[in-house]
Amino acid sequence: MTESKRADIMDSASDSKEELYEHLPQWLKDRLQWFLDLKFGFFMHWGPYSQWGCIESWPLVEVDEWARPDTLRPWIERGKDIERFKADYWRLNETFCPREFDPESWAKIAERAGMKYLAFTTKHHDGFCMFDTATTDYRITHSSCPFHTDPRANVTRHIFDAFRARDFGISCYFSKSDWHSPYYWWPGAPAPTRNPNYDTAKNPERWERFVQFVHRQVRELMSDYGSIDALWLDGGQVRPPKQDIRMAEMAAMARELQPGLIVADRTVGGPYENILTPEQRIPDKPLGYPWESCLTMGNGWAYRPDDEYKSTRVLIHLLIDIVAKGGNLLLNVGPTPQGALDPVPLKRLEEIGAWMAVNGDAIHGTRPIAPYKQGNVCFTKKGGRVFALILAEDSDEMPPSNLRVEGICPSEGSAVTMLGRETPLEWTRDGDGFRVSIPQETLPCSHAWVLSFRV
Ligand code: GLC
């Protein structure tokens, strides 16, 4: 299939996405099925910007005023002077010193929460490298950053190692756009938007230097940081014709170094967007193509001291909703500038973990099954088993004592059990579904309860 045909299909309805999936090489299908088994990942946005408790990178873009609200103190303190503000943002590397950095504790917590993979921002759009690159001084291991003397200064390495030690899949977030690079935002002219501030067609040498710079960084990440499962490329504006990063060449290089690498050239479409990555939203139905929703536990990707976090119940319900539609949830928490996790998300992760300890079987390694979601009941399947995941309504602490499940029915003679309880439940067929009596005492968990049966 030609690349333009692929791109056309990516933009259209889900039926043709299924066709696109069918045409992928078998090795990639195998890798994507492996990825879909993981279901629940931990996303971490972290960089010097966490010191300001601001949105990551975006306040640097003049036209993106939404990223500099009047509640942002560093913005107000600088009299809303964009030049002063930008100059000081660029200098945040000089005070970034996360002495509490302890990636083993992050990995342990994420594992207990039932997460199976990690995605970390090795470089966000502001260009600050959280890894030991030879391409720029704007990096955590350079003498301009006080953390460079710490034995763990190359934080990307220590984060990837700590999670890999617990069998996590590793997804490397990397921004193709780089607002610190003089080959992207040329210092000789104003840079009001997220795009290069020069005409790349008229200055092909400058753009070529940018391409080389990005390829070198990706080569470093794919060479020196152990086994990587996915390269998650943000900065979707970086695409042909004006910002051609030579994706085919870059992906070939990355895959030579990391055989089996999944590439997520997000929003670009075509052969290097191996997974779709809906952001802060959940599709209405299965997409017919591997996908992962990235959602924030709080309101933003980066740490904010005053952030408001979603409740444990909401988070568990989001996970179930996503998995019932065949996707993965990549749930983001931003560490503090000191390198710790805030107590509120820690508590949420503990509580999600308590739920997953009972019900993880209905999440990990499952696939969607029609009717996916009926009212408050979601479905997943694994082998010959189907799981009905009953979402608690509002503030209910218990499932209904007599529940009608629509659209799916256990096979004749199948036991219906609740995960976390031994005794089978009484059930009877009812139209296209079934009725089941649910005990109200000794419930194994809160927020959502799972029935398991054969169909
Ligand atoms: C959006 C944000 C970006 C963030 C990403 C994560 O693209 O603009 O800052 O890194 O989402 O999905």
Side-chain angles (χ1 to χ4, degrees), residues 52 70 72-81 84-85 88:
W52 272 1
D70 282 349
L72 179 60
R73 266 185 52 194
W75 174 236
I76 300 304
E77 282 166 3
R78 285 160 188 78
K80 300 193 189 182
D81 177 333
R84 273 175 68 197
F85 178 88
D88 287 346

Side-chain angles (χ1 to χ4, degrees), residues 263-293:
V263 180
D265 192 16
R266 46 188 326 229
T267 74
V268 174
Y272 305 106
E273 192 174 17
N274 301 156
I275 53 173
L276 299 173
T277 55
E279 183 180 311
Q280 298 288 40
R281 65 187 176 84
I282 302 180
D284 303 332
K285 54 178 183 3
L287 292 182
Y289 196 82
W291 62 276
E292 165 197 79
S293 269

Side-chain angles (χ1 to χ4, degrees), residues 218-454:
V218 169
R219 179 179 289 282
E220 291 173 336
L221 286 165
M222 296 300 113
S223 306
D224 303 335
Y225 295 84
S227 171
I228 310 282
D229 298 293
L231 178 59
W232 208 96
L233 295 170
D234 208 2
Q237 76 271 25
V238 180
R239 65 171 88 181
K242 287 193 175 156
Q243 301 184 46
D244 185 355
I245 202 76
R246 295 208 300 276
M247 198 54 217
E249 193 187 305
M250 189 160 105
M253 172 267 285
R255 284 186 172 146
E256 202 172 306
L257 296 161
Q258 297 285 343
L261 184 74
I262 295 167
V263 180
D265 192 16
R266 46 188 326 229
T267 74
V268 174
Y272 305 106
E273 192 174 17
N274 301 156
I275 53 173
L276 299 173
T277 55
E279 183 180 311
Q280 298 288 40
R281 65 187 176 84
I282 302 180
D284 303 332
K285 54 178 183 3
L287 292 182
Y289 196 82
W291 62 276
E292 165 197 79
S293 269
C294 49
L295 306 181
T296 52
M297 189 187 282
N299 286 319
W301 301 100
Y303 170 75
R304 287 180 217 172
D306 58 348
D307 209 351
E308 287 165 3
Y309 294 91
K310 298 176 179 74
S311 70
T312 301
R313 173 163 295 186
V314 165
L315 292 166
I316 290 172
H317 289 192
L318 289 169
L319 173 65
I320 294 172
D321 190 12
I322 287 170
V323 173
K325 292 169 185 163
N328 283 11
L329 166 58
L330 183 59
L331 181 63
N332 182 84
V333 176
T336 69
Q338 292 75 34
L341 292 177
D342 189 273
V344 182
L346 277 180
K347 184 157 181 281
R348 300 286 193 274
L349 292 171
E350 280 295 335
E351 290 172 358
I352 294 171
W355 187 87
M356 287 291 276
V358 176
N359 302 298
D361 200 20
I363 299 291
H364 297 133
T366 63
R367 290 294 178 273
I369 179 167
Y372 315 117
K373 187 173 184 183
Q374 288 279 3
N376 271 2
V377 185
C378 295
F379 304 97
T380 63
K381 70 168 178 198
K382 180 151 65 183
R385 270 191 308 158
V386 168
F387 301 101
L389 301 97
I390 308 160
L391 310 181
E393 289 206 49
D394 307 323
S395 56
D396 284 1
E397 286 309 323
M398 275 183 251
S401 57
N402 188 299
L403 177 73
R404 171 144 199 275
V405 178
E406 279 175 56
I408 206 160
C409 186
S411 59
E412 216 36 65
S414 164
V416 175
T417 53
M418 179 182 280
L419 296 191
R421 285 181 98 252
E422 297 282 314
T423 8
L425 310 179
E426 278 177 33
W427 69 275
T428 50
R429 175 180 279 276
D430 183 357
D432 69 343
F434 64 107
R435 262 184 198 286
V436 57
S437 312
I438 303 182
Q440 304 289 289
E441 62 289 332
T442 62
L443 286 166
C445 57
S446 313
H447 311 304
W449 303 273
V450 180
L451 306 180
S452 162
F453 51 88
R454 303 204 166 262

